[in-house]
Amino acid sequence: QVQLAESGGGLVQAGGSLRLSCAASGRTSSLYAMVWFRQAPGEERAFVARIAWRLGVTYYADSVKGRFIISRDDTTNTAHLQMNAIRPEDTALYYCAASSRVDSDYMSPSAYDYWGQGTQVTVSS
């Protein structure tokens, strides 16, 4: 089992920056990938960014490409999401998730076995 704990959410002005963190604990040696999803009120959970834990290969949703950066620190088992040039439409509850298995459908929530509790990001215009 892997436990995930997000931090770093809050209120930010449009155009600003925010850094989210996701600390993994438990059986971290089994980690294959960590990912960020987000869910706005009334909408489905949407893929934001993913990082392969060992190789560091990254993927991004088109809506955040060039603005957000996902990274990982394997010494602390923490993934980060650096959010730059934030827009009002980035307002959502952001979830960290992780998998210990290969799944080609990496943009689907079903590919991930472990989830954090979520951290709220609110962008004011």
Side-chain angles (χ1 to χ4, degrees):
Q1 290 284 346
V2 175
Q3 294 78 43
L4 303 174
E6 303 103 331
S7 61
L11 177 64
V12 60
Q13 284 191 328
S17 297
L18 204 61
R19 189 191 198 208
L20 307 183
S21 297
C22 176
S25 60
R27 199 179 172 196
T28 56
S29 60
S30 68
L31 285 175
Y32 178 75
M34 291 184 74
V35 65
W36 290 93
F37 282 82
R38 66 186 182 186
Q39 188 166 19
E43 297 185 11
E44 293 186 352
R45 198 164 295 191
F47 171 81
V48 175
R50 177 182 182 270
I51 187 164
W53 196 251
R54 298 194 188 282
L55 298 180
V57 178
T58 57
Y59 300 92
Y60 296 93
D62 288 343
S63 59
V64 306
K65 201 171 294 183
R67 300 188 298 123
F68 291 9
I69 301 171
I70 188 170
S71 62
R72 90 258 194 250
D73 181 347
D74 53 13
T75 63
T76 60
N77 295 316
T78 302
H80 301 285
L81 184 69
Q82 178 66 41
M83 306 168 63
N84 301 318
I86 294 177
R87 304 168 181 169
E89 55 264 38
D90 293 323
T91 294
L93 187 60
Y94 282 71
Y95 293 94
C96 173
S99 68
S100 55
R101 56 188 169 91
V102 177
D103 193 315
S104 60
D105 193 9
Y106 66 85
M107 295 178 69
S108 170
S110 64
Y112 303 92
D113 301 312
Y114 311 107
W115 290 84
Q117 78 286 355
T119 185
Q120 178 67 37
V121 173
T122 302
V123 184
S124 62
S125 56

